[in-house]
Amino acid sequence: MGQSIKPRKRGGLFAFLVAYSVVLFAGGPAYASCDILKVNGANEWRPFSWRTPDLGEMKGIFPAITHSVSEQAPVRSEYGPDLPWNRLFALLEHGSIDVLAGAYLSEERLNKFELSNPVHEDEVTVFIRTGMKTIPRDLNGLVGLRGRAPYGVHLGEDNNKFAADNLVIDSQSLDDIAADLEMLKDGRFDYIMMSRSYGKKAVSTFGFDGQIQDVPWTAARRSVHFMFSRKSPCVDLLPKFNAVIEEQLQAGILDEYQAGFETAGGYKSAAPPAETAAE
């Protein structure tokens, strides 16, 4: 009896401590091990994300959402430097950064990363010189022409294959959109494929109204998401990101941000109301 009672007491104490630990930590956030959230994103993709020319800070809808999450969770956001787009995805895949603040959905990315709920649906279209003899009516109309597109533009699996097999598109950062529009106007290439809202704002701001226009058709509609590395301890923040996205969508904050960007007086002007959340 004496020998049987002692192990039971020890076993009972051990079971109690295990149970107590489960209760103690179950109520805490799953992302407790994520102290610093390493973030990066597009250098010039308004209104989703961009960097200020002076300090290199990231601004836009995605940094604003990240800031809101940081206020609600015990984590500090740390933004990385301007890097090539393809390198960002390599760093994300290897866990060197935790989250990419905005990228188009694709099957490949869905298989490699953890994606947030969609933040926005972006319309990808084509901008051409006004007065072109033959205005392209669809992607087939771009065959034989010379085009440019920012890194990361995605047309969907079928259209991407068509573009790769049939179109001549120079992928660039398009960080200096004014210079790219000037080259388009001068005929150094025939079209730019990019976000309609982004392109129309740039055309208006830099004085190319009447010289450059967007075609009426849409090349693709692509949802834009946060993308988390599966090797990051911060991936457990994804439910919090989704909750903030839904809260801001329901409150109309993200729509106000988009509308504010489209109606603001200058391309690099003060940001619309939601920008303050990203300060």
Side-chain angles (χ1 to χ4, degrees):
M1 288 290 293
Q3 292 180 346
S4 64
I5 292 174
K6 193 172 181 180
R8 280 183 194 157
K9 284 185 177 179
R10 291 176 63 192
L13 177 60
F14 177 79
F16 170 78
L17 290 174
V18 170
Y20 178 76
S21 298
V22 170
V23 172
L24 179 65
F25 292 107
Y31 44 82
S33 61
C34 173
D35 299 319
I36 298 176
L37 180 70
K38 292 173 288 185
V39 188
N40 215 315
N43 189 49
E44 186 63 53
W45 190 14
R46 300 168 187 250
F48 303 120
S49 71
W50 71 90
R51 295 175 193 277
T52 57
D54 48 356
L55 300 177
E57 292 180 275
M58 289 196 71
K59 302 289 186 180
I61 291 175
F62 280 79
I65 293 172
T66 303
H67 181 79
S68 295
V69 171
S70 295
E71 287 188 324
Q72 298 180 27
V75 64
R76 177 170 62 85
S77 300
E78 185 177 274
Y79 293 90
D82 175 23
L83 294 172
W85 190 245
N86 289 340
R87 186 177 174 192
L88 289 179
F89 278 100
L91 292 172
L92 187 68
E93 187 173 0
H94 289 91
S96 298
I97 60 176
D98 299 307
V99 62
L100 190 64
Y104 288 135
L105 170 68
S106 73
E107 192 67 30
E108 179 184 7
R109 294 169 186 175
L110 192 60
N111 290 331
K112 286 184 176 181
F113 310 115
E114 295 298 326
L115 274 59
S116 72
N117 291 351
V119 175
H120 187 79
E121 184 179 67
D122 196 32
E123 185 179 1
V124 181
T125 192
V126 172
F127 287 78
I128 59 173
R129 289 187 303 281
T130 301
M132 282 184 70
K133 290 183 179 179
T134 302
I135 297 178
R137 304 293 179 186
D138 52 25
L139 288 178
N140 286 286
L142 302 179
V143 176
L145 302 180
R146 296 163 299 161
R148 298 190 86 177
Y151 293 125
V153 164
H154 200 282
L155 305 177
E157 303 304 328
D158 292 339
N159 285 342
N160 267 4
K161 185 178 186 310
F162 175 85
D165 293 343
N166 300 281
L167 304 183
V168 178
I169 302 177
D170 181 20
S171 291
Q172 296 284 338
S173 64
L174 299 193
D175 286 346
D176 189 351
I177 187 62
D180 289 290
L181 292 173
E182 184 73 32
M183 287 190 286
L184 175 60
K185 177 184 73 72
D186 292 343
R188 295 176 63 178
F189 48 86
D190 301 305
Y191 65 89
I192 301 178
M193 186 178 291
M194 57 182 167
S195 165
R196 191 184 299 276
S197 62
Y198 174 76
K200 289 182 73 170
K201 182 65 177 177
V203 166
S204 175
T205 298
F206 293 116
F208 291 100
D209 287 322
Q211 299 174 300
I212 295 175
Q213 66 186 61
D214 53 321
V215 299
W217 50 274
T218 299
R221 292 184 182 275
R222 311 300 300 167
S223 57
V224 192
H225 305 251
F226 284 97
M227 298 194 178
F228 278 82
S229 172
R230 289 178 175 169
K231 295 183 178 180
S232 165
C234 298
V235 70
D236 291 325
L237 278 171
L238 183 54
K240 174 59 70 176
F241 269 81
N242 285 336
V244 171
I245 290 167
E246 291 307 309
E247 288 169 7
Q248 296 197 3
L249 283 172
Q250 292 296 323
I253 293 173
L254 301 186
D255 289 338
E256 289 177 9
Y257 204 155
Q258 176 74 26
F261 164 75
E262 293 174 358
T263 59
Y267 193 73
K268 297 185 182 295
S269 64
E275 168 84 7
T276 57
E279 293 297 340

